[in-house]
Amino acid sequence: MTLIKKYIPLAICFLVGLMTLASYYVPNKTSENYLEVMNKWENIVAGFAFLLGLFSLFFSHYNKIRRKVDGWGYSLFVFVGFLVMVVPALMSHGKQMDGTSLTGLGWGYRFMFNALSGTMFSVLAFYIVSTAYRAFRIKSAQAGVLFAAALVLIIGKVPLGQLMWDKLLGWTHLGVTQIVQWLMDVPVVAGRRGIMMGLAVGGIVTALKIIFGIERQYMGKD
Amino acid sequence: MKNFLEKLLKIDRRLIFLALAILLVFPIVKPLGLPNLNLGSEVKSLYERIEGLPPRSFVLMSLDYDPATRPELHPQAVAILRHAFRKNLRVGILTLNAGATGLIEEIGERIPKDIAPEKVYGKDYVILPYQPNPVAVMTQMGMDLYQIYDKDRDGSPIRDMEVFKGIKNVKDMQLGICITGTAMLDYWIAYTGDKFKFPMAGGVTAVSQMGYAPYLQTGQLKGLVGGMKGAADYETLINHKEKGTSGIDALSLAHLMVIILIVTANIMMLWLKYL
Amino acid sequence: MSETMLIFGGWVAAGLTIFLFSFLYKDNPFFKVTEHLYLGAGMGWVFQTVLFQTWKPKVWEPLQAGDWTVLIPTVLGLSLVTQFFPRISWISRYGFTFIMGYGSGLVIPLTISTDLLKQIGGTIAPFMVSEISRANIGSLINGSIVAIGFICVLFYFFFSVEHKGVVKKASNIGIYFLMLYFGAAFGNTVMGRFSLLYGRFDDLYKYSAPKYFYATHVILAALVIYFVVDHFRKKKPEIEEEAA
């Protein structure tokens, strides 16, 4: 049983990983055909991966309703929201437009999903401002550098800031746009490139560990 | 004085929220009309690249954003699309983000209405369906795109469409533009840009704009439009002002507020500490 | 779609937006309902997109045309769901290992090329003979700053040796470069979030028009009334207690 439960999956990972890796360095008709099949198959497999999220969400809220935990009534709205999108989609066969007019699905996207998703993420703006006031304290030289970079960038990017800079510091003949551009072209490149390279090395090592079966946490417990 | 400053530092955050809301709503109700003065050089690079493409060149646009980043990225997509059509380029629109399909539908609705009414679907542009697993799609786009996209979003076969004449993979296309609020542009750079020598440009949120500076320096990215300011820059360049430009007033006021709040809070803190 | 449905849509969009914003004042049932609706609607949207744009054209239609090979990735994909049933969860390993092996195989060469070699190339490019012969001093100075900064940042992330002496100095310089990057990123983050908020307010303004029968105004006023009533309703027991 260990063979089926553990070794065959690991062998699949090893084989697929190694052949995909080799197909990059050995570009010929066979490797191209192999990659084409893999691309098509992976495309389909990934189409089922979201079911993990769907089942997880449904199980969690179904259990809340079943056990009648505090606020279980709200969980019903998860299913309502789901049906509000899926039922019109089934009725219109996934079409959002019927000629020049919106179908129920298109209506749901434009007036519901758009508003819900957009607002959920925009709320962060309020917290950024409040946190900037309450927690952004320049207590060290490093924090000072961080603030100076943020300040120059904010001033340089919006017209009101540019107008203020020209009024107050115009005599220096130093344009804020040039400073922002230099900031982006030089120190930001250096800082970001360092992080990027660290991530790249980490990514390559992890990928190798996965192919060789050293890293197998994603497989769950034995 | 000390008590007053301490109270001020611990002010109810809902008052700050209210101030921000008022500051953002004010220019919507009464626009200030501030000029968009300095245009980003990376935005100009993209504009010039599109400007320099021969007519009927093929531009691939991967619109990978959803309503969560719509105010920043949708104006970018509309402005770039308007420019491409104005230059008589062929455009292929696709998405690798399920949440984007509704926004692409809006674009599909707007093209015949106001973006480019003279353009014909299937001849000048095409909209492809959503596909999961971006990496597989991108890798396949470099070999034979019809193996992964054989139909458009309405289920019509694409191989014989005039818009795809002479196109087998990204090597036959002249420019790729990925507009995204996620890391999708990184994938496009690696899996098609670098691998198949496909010129890539991007449109990203302001949050992630800085992260692409190294790619611009190495030339892996041919141009970059960042956030609503980038959209406003592009609208200025094509001389067609829309949602990107109209947001600049509100952004100006709100940013001024952030700077004032940070500086004031730090002065108060120093006062309490040393005076 | 009729005009009535579009106006109703305006009311729904304005309502959902305001209900989500209401959390900024305090947690309330309207927010909670809307929050849960968001979870369900988001999942519903992805489900229908995958159903009609992947499963139907990539699995169902090929099967009807007699292409049985699509069953292999379909079974691998479906195997992922066994994750939720402990007794047979090992089956999901087949799907996972297939995805992980393919992803790992692709990521290695491309990361080496895109994020390692090209970045090293970009760092040394300003010092190539062709560049130096142009005698562009500005480019050389900037190139040197990028190179020094980049190496110092790498030292900061290099934990295999103890940070003391030259290594400590280099890593300290690296921190300043990181701070400049984070500072610039923070400035841009602020800008990004405001843009999103502006987008929502712009929509609310649209729905406040007479065409939408002042949807924004009405819903906002109703919510304020709710909070006022709720405030006094919750205070009532205290007053009764005091009276007693």
Side-chain angles (χ1 to χ4, degrees), chain A residues 10 22 36 54 57 77 99 106 108 120 128 132 136 144 154-155 158 178 202:
Chain A
L10 281 174
E36 249 175 35
L54 181 88
L57 184 77
F77 286 93
M120 204 50 128
I128 284 185
F136 200 135
I154 289 173
I155 290 175
V158 292
Q178 282 87 335

Side-chain angles (χ1 to χ4, degrees), chain B:
Chain B
M1 185 69 179
K2 205 177 165 187
N3 276 347
F4 174 70
L5 288 181
E6 273 171 358
K7 271 187 187 165
L8 214 56
L9 275 175
K10 287 176 189 161
I11 191 172
D12 189 337
R13 66 180 176 190
R14 286 177 294 192
L15 290 173
I16 300 174
F17 295 166
L18 186 66
L20 177 66
I22 292 170
L23 219 57
L24 279 172
V25 170
F26 176 71
I28 296 175
V29 180
K30 199 173 167 50
L32 306 175
L34 291 168
N36 186 21
L37 294 171
N38 301 306
L39 309 181
S41 65
E42 333 61 66
V43 182
K44 278 191 213 157
S45 303
L46 175 58
Y47 172 82
E48 277 155 17
R49 186 160 271 266
I50 292 182
E51 197 66 13
L53 288 175
R56 301 299 289 165
S57 296
F58 196 101
V59 176
L60 184 73
M61 287 183 76
S62 180
L63 306 184
D64 305 314
Y65 58 90
D66 56 19
T69 48
R70 177 202 170 111
E72 286 190 278
L73 302 176
H74 206 56
Q76 293 181 7
V78 172
I80 295 170
L81 204 58
R82 201 181 283 282
H83 187 206
F85 283 137
R86 204 183 277 176
K87 294 300 297 177
N88 193 21
L89 306 176
R90 288 179 289 167
V91 180
I93 298 171
L94 61 88
T95 185
L96 304 169
N97 179 338
T101 48
L103 293 169
I104 290 178
E105 203 63 45
E106 264 185 54
I107 285 183
E109 193 188 340
R110 276 191 67 186
I111 291 173
K113 266 191 196 159
D114 73 305
I115 295 177
E118 72 285 2
K119 296 292 170 188
V120 180
Y121 185 83
K123 177 174 169 255
D124 300 302
Y125 70 99
V126 65
I127 300 178
L128 300 170
Y130 158 76
Q131 297 279 7
N133 200 339
V135 171
V137 175
M138 289 168 197
T139 313
Q140 191 55 42
M141 294 286 280
M143 297 190 284
D144 179 4
L145 76 89
Y146 303 107
Q147 294 295 322
I148 208 120
Y149 287 109
D150 54 345
K151 288 175 185 154
D152 72 356
R153 74 168 200 274
D154 297 323
S156 313
I158 63 165
R159 201 183 279 266
D160 298 323
M161 282 184 180
E162 201 182 328
V163 67
F164 280 112
K165 204 173 169 188
I167 305 283
K168 190 191 173 201
N169 53 42
V170 292
K171 290 171 217 159
D172 303 316
M173 301 175 188
Q174 282 65 45
L175 182 64
I177 302 165
C178 168
I179 299 182
T180 181
T182 63
M184 207 69 85
L185 180 56
D186 299 57
Y187 297 149
W188 275 107
I189 294 169
Y191 292 96
T192 56
D194 286 352
K195 192 176 179 191
F196 302 110
K197 310 277 176 283
F198 180 45
M200 278 303 305
V204 294
T205 55
V207 177
S208 52
Q209 188 186 358
M210 288 296 150
Y212 293 97
Y215 292 132
L216 284 165
Q217 194 249 346
T218 51
Q220 288 164 285
L221 264 183
K222 310 299 175 199
L224 187 72
V225 185
M228 195 179 253
K229 163 80 171 109
D233 289 357
Y234 211 95
E235 287 173 4
T236 309
L237 284 166
I238 61 167
N239 202 15
H240 192 105
K241 291 178 179 161
E242 266 192 71
K243 286 283 174 199
T245 311
S246 63
I248 287 294
D249 284 349
L251 287 190
S252 277
L253 290 179
H255 278 91
L256 201 67
M257 179 182 169
V258 172
I259 293 171
I260 291 172
L261 284 178
I262 295 176
V263 172
T264 317
N266 277 282
I267 291 173
M268 287 195 289
M269 191 198 69
L270 288 174
W271 185 293
L272 285 172
K273 201 171 176 186
Y274 296 109
L275 295 173

Side-chain angles (χ1 to χ4, degrees), chain A residues 88-89 91-111, chain B residues 101-113 127 153-154, chain C residues 1 6 45 48 53:
Chain A
M91 283 160 66
S92 67
H93 299 281
K95 296 262 182 287
Q96 295 174 51
M97 299 289 293
D98 182 12
T100 53
S101 97
L102 281 175
T103 62
L105 178 66
W107 184 92
Y109 185 89
R110 215 159 281 190
F111 296 109
Chain B
T101 48
L103 293 169
I104 290 178
E105 203 63 45
E106 264 185 54
I107 285 183
E109 193 188 340
R110 276 191 67 186
I111 291 173
K113 266 191 196 159
I127 300 178
R153 74 168 200 274
D154 297 323
Chain C
M1 183 159 279
L6 294 180
W45 182 262
Q48 70 80 23
Q53 299 197 22

Side-chain angles (χ1 to χ4, degrees), chain A residues 122-134:
Chain A
S122 71
V123 167
L124 281 176
F126 289 103
Y127 292 104
I128 284 185
V129 176
S130 143
T131 312
Y133 178 71
R134 289 159 160 252

Side-chain angles (χ1 to χ4, degrees), chain B residues 14 24 68 71 98 101 130-132 135-136 148 151 190-191 194 206 209 214-215 217-218 220 243 246-247 254-255, chain C residues 24-25 45 49 53-54 58 61 102 106 110 114-115 118-119 122 188 191-192 194-199 201-202 205:
Chain B
R14 286 177 294 192
L24 279 172
T101 48
Y130 158 76
Q131 297 279 7
V135 171
I148 208 120
K151 288 175 185 154
Y191 292 96
D194 286 352
Q209 188 186 358
Y215 292 132
Q217 194 249 346
T218 51
Q220 288 164 285
K243 286 283 174 199
S246 63
H255 278 91
Chain C
L24 294 165
Y25 179 68
W45 182 262
T49 307
Q53 299 197 22
T54 305
K58 302 249 165 187
E61 286 172 7
Y102 169 82
L106 270 187
L110 290 162
T114 305
D115 289 346
K118 283 252 163 71
Q119 299 312 316
N188 256 20
M191 177 174 284
F194 285 164
S195 306
L196 301 186
L197 194 54
Y198 166 80
F201 283 160
D202 195 36
Y205 182 61

